[in-house]
Amino acid sequence: MSELLKISGLHASIDADGAPKEILRGVDLVIPPGEVHAIMGPNGCGKSTLSYVLAGREDYEVTAGSALFKGEDLLAMEPEERAAAGIFLAFQTPVELPGVNNANFLRTAVNAVRRARNAPELDAVGFLKAVRAATKNLSMADDMLKRNVNVGFSGGEKKRNEVLQMTMLQPTLAILDETDSGLDVDALRIVAEGVQNLRSPDFSALVITHHQKLLDYLGPDRVHVMAKGRVIRSGGPELAKQINEEGYAAFLKEAA
Amino acid sequence: MPAVTETREQVEKLGKSSYEWGFETDIEMDVAPKGLNEDIIRLISTRKEEPEWMLEWRLAAYRSWLKMKEPTWAKVTHPPIDYQDVHYYAAPKKKDGPKSLEEVDPELLRTYEKLGIPLHEQAMLAGVEVPEGEEARLPVAVDAVFDSVSVATTFRKTLSEAGVIFCPISEAIRDYPDLVKQYIGSVVPVADNFYAALNSAVFTDGSFVFVPKGVRCPMELSTYFRINAKNTGQFERTLIIVEDGASVSYLEGCTAPMRDENQLHAAVVELVAMEDASIKYSTVQNWYPGDENGRGGIYNFVTKRGACRGARAKISWTQVETGSAITWKYPSCILQGEDSVGEFYSVAVTNNHQQADTGTKMIHLGRNSRSTIIAKTISAGKSDSTYRGQVKIMPRASGARNFTQCDSLLIGDQCGAHTVPYIESRNMTARVEHEATTSKISEDQMFYCRQRGLSQEDAVGLIVNGFCKEVLKELPMEFAVEAQKLLQISLEGSVG
């Protein structure tokens, strides 16, 4: 299969004070298995909306187009079915869950996904072993597992926690929505290594970012430029370098 | 009389119902005619083989009840209750003590099975003699109350060796009349309120616990209440006396079959803690809440009160309230002793058309008495939930302290949550704190959980359990697990 994800002519809008506002206006995108693709584009071009629509957020209405994941109609699935199918979204702003223990949350999620994938559930010992190894790789303090999900976490801790969840949930397609934003140099390297560790023929990533730095670590196979709700240009890693040097102006003119 | 649909038919029709305790047990019953009058009270007293003083006490309660009116201050509404349309006594027909499980009414055993009571425990509940050593495996002593009678109490031997009395209150009235006479009605007087007076007149059974000086009760005590017969009111009475330096942990669980009509439950619980004594009273209340259209369900009007009579006495109430169509319940502490401690930890969940008005009263009389109130209210569907709490510091309670925290969680946009604190401090040195919050489960939280693979139900369960954590951790281990599941089941279908 050469297409893990195939998005064709995807249109989506959100309710803005009672009137639908179109944000995605015909997105076409293909991600083959084992590849890392980057999406870049000016603020408001629809990058985050695309990630939400792929993950199944209900606020958005898909008005046209399709998205096939492993050949299945992704848009017909519930968010948790998409997660089980292998889609993971690293949130730009991870959500706080007061009173919910981080380890417990993670174990519940891991086992829910494993159940759905017909894999045996992890018992407490097996889980602890796996999660300890993962936190160590991400240079996370042990007490982060004991704290409540994202409550009182610093920006960097939240992002690392996302990568921890991603590691444990073993997705086939990870969508990283500006996971690098607000990270210092060291945190960025740790997060990038966390993603790199997952790289395999069974792991693809769609990385939304504004910065060259993360892409330097990840070495994307393809770079896509989004503007006004569409992918207007696709190319190799050199595209990201060009944007870094020249900005989006030239691309926008081209698209207009 | 309202139409009655037989439970079994109903279950078949609905397929798998979310209230899995809604079965009815078909057992030969001895039922008193409907209605309430002095003759019925005499009948109850006779059936219970009670002494004359008990009958007099009941009749006095009945006479004061006649002069009382239903309280209307709670934020609950229901059609008028016809107190003459209720059976005040229903008991499984008495047979001589069974020698083995085979001799026990199989229907009764089936009931235990459905309730998840292990077989060897079932045998004990059914009153079958168990070989030596067998009973030591079980960590909890159980008293099961079926409609109006206590059907069985387990572990009595182990307990009596420790000096602890744990038996049906009807038995205590006969066997320990002096203890009962001294304490019954001493915390909740017969004319305390409308429902307490009604209970005092017609109570049919309940549990009695006495822990003598210096004894730590060797195991958890548990009472299991079930209303089974149609149109039966359950009026149980629990009395727990813990002497100086002694302690006990007591659990209470409740279920009822699903019925179209409302059933009445009016219990009274009295706790007495002497010097340095401690009582931990935990409840998981799961009476049938009615269907999603608000038909049926238990009216739960309960008076629970504990008195810390001695210095450093401690009473701790923990409750998880998920059932009943209407809950009217305020487990309270009268903190008479110096340095005595009162605690109230509560989770009240309402869904569909349930109404709950629940909270506590902490009455500080003793110097340096302290109380803590943590109340978590969760409303979903079209339900309405109210926390109503009173903290009263009396003039001689110097240095008294109270901390109250009330948190409400709303699910959906058709439910209500209300917090009504009454705070009265009559001593300048006292310190009273009240904190309250209201929040909703946000769409962001739901989406985040579901993106991680959790179903909507699991996500709500996780968030709700997180919200209630401070209370759930107060429950004994085995109850906490059950309570967590119950919270989730109660909120099924409330999101999405």
Side-chain angles (χ1 to χ4, degrees), chain B residues 306 308 312-317 331-345 359-375 387 389-394 397-406 422-425 430-435 474:
Chain B
C308 288
R312 296 168 303 279
K314 177 179 173 184
I315 289 178
S316 181
W317 298 98
S332 306
C333 296
I334 302 169
L335 302 167
Q336 291 161 271
E338 277 184 26
D339 295 298
S340 59
V341 176
E343 292 174 339
F344 175 74
Y345 299 99
T360 184
K361 282 196 252 182
M362 293 289 174
I363 314 294
H364 291 257
L365 297 162
R367 284 193 359 196
N368 296 321
S369 51
R370 301 191 304 279
S371 62
T372 304
I373 299 170
I374 310 280
Y387 166 81
Q390 183 180 44
V391 176
K392 199 169 181 177
I393 314 277
M394 301 305 277
S398 297
R401 287 174 60 180
N402 162 265
F403 173 75
T404 301
Q405 185 187 329
C406 299
Y422 304 78
I423 299 168
E424 186 183 339
S425 179
R431 206 167 90 201
V432 179
E433 290 173 73
H434 181 95
E435 288 179 10
E474 296 296 327

Side-chain angles (χ1 to χ4, degrees), chain A residues 140-229:
Chain A
M140 288 169 74
D142 271 353
D143 80 315
M144 275 184 67
L145 289 172
K146 293 182 195 140
R147 287 156 66 184
N148 294 333
V149 180
N150 294 323
V151 178
F153 284 24
S154 71
E157 284 174 330
K158 282 184 184 173
K159 296 297 171 74
R160 261 185 253 189
N161 200 37
E162 294 290 287
V163 178
L164 172 67
Q165 293 175 2
M166 180 169 75
T167 308
M168 295 296 295
L169 289 169
Q170 302 179 315
T172 33
L173 176 67
I175 304 164
L176 285 79
D177 187 4
E178 299 194 23
T179 302
D180 53 344
S181 67
L183 292 186
D184 62 36
V185 190
D186 296 325
L188 179 66
R189 182 179 44 79
I190 291 164
V191 165
E193 281 172 6
V195 179
Q196 281 302 84
N197 284 338
L198 296 177
R199 290 201 68 164
S200 80
D202 299 320
F203 175 81
S204 300
L206 182 60
V207 182
I208 297 170
T209 182
H210 282 295
H211 307 289
Q212 176 63 33
K213 193 83 190 155
L214 179 63
L215 300 179
D216 285 346
Y217 282 114
L218 297 181
D221 298 284
R222 299 283 287 169
V223 175
H224 309 275
V225 181
M226 253 184 103
K228 296 181 181 158

Side-chain angles (χ1 to χ4, degrees), chain B residues 71-77 302 304 319 326-333 344 346 348 355-363 373-377 384-391 404-408 417-423 434 436:
Chain B
T72 51
W73 43 262
K75 197 178 176 324
V76 296
T77 53
V302 173
K304 290 183 167 178
Q319 60 172 23
I326 295 177
T327 300
W328 181 101
K329 180 180 167 186
Y330 315 90
S332 306
C333 296
F344 175 74
S346 168
Q355 308 172 61
D357 193 304
T358 183
T360 184
K361 282 196 252 182
M362 293 289 174
I363 314 294
I373 299 170
I374 310 280
K376 305 277 181 176
T377 301
D384 212 2
S385 187
T386 302
Y387 166 81
R388 190 181 301 277
Q390 183 180 44
V391 176
T404 301
Q405 185 187 329
C406 299
D407 298 320
S408 309
H418 318 270
T419 299
V420 190
Y422 304 78
I423 299 168
H434 181 95

Side-chain angles (χ1 to χ4, degrees), chain B residues 3 33 43 115 118-119 135 140 158 186 238 248 318 347 369 378 398 458:
Chain B
L43 174 98
L115 297 168
L119 194 73
E135 54 178 283
V140 181
T158 317
S186 74
T238 300
V248 70
T318 305
V347 172
S369 51
I378 300 154
S398 297
D458 286 346

Side-chain angles (χ1 to χ4, degrees), chain A residues 88-164:
Chain A
F88 180 91
L89 171 62
F91 283 60
Q92 192 175 347
T93 317
V95 180
E96 299 184 2
L97 301 175
V100 180
N101 173 276
N102 206 21
N104 183 29
F105 175 72
L106 195 50
R107 190 176 158 208
T108 310
V110 165
N111 281 335
V113 162
R114 289 178 73 97
R115 260 198 314 276
R117 294 175 187 164
N118 294 320
E121 292 187 31
L122 290 182
D123 61 13
V125 178
F127 170 77
L128 218 63
K129 226 168 136 183
V131 80
R132 285 251 166 83
T135 48
K136 206 174 154 209
N137 273 339
L138 291 165
S139 308
M140 288 169 74
D142 271 353
D143 80 315
M144 275 184 67
L145 289 172
K146 293 182 195 140
R147 287 156 66 184
N148 294 333
V149 180
N150 294 323
V151 178
F153 284 24
S154 71
E157 284 174 330
K158 282 184 184 173
K159 296 297 171 74
R160 261 185 253 189
N161 200 37
E162 294 290 287
V163 178
L164 172 67

Side-chain angles (χ1 to χ4, degrees), chain B residues 119-137:
Chain B
L119 194 73
H120 48 303
E121 204 166 328
Q122 286 178 28
M124 274 184 268
L125 279 174
V128 176
E129 304 217 342
V130 176
E132 270 317 298
E134 190 85 347
E135 54 178 283
R137 289 205 310 251

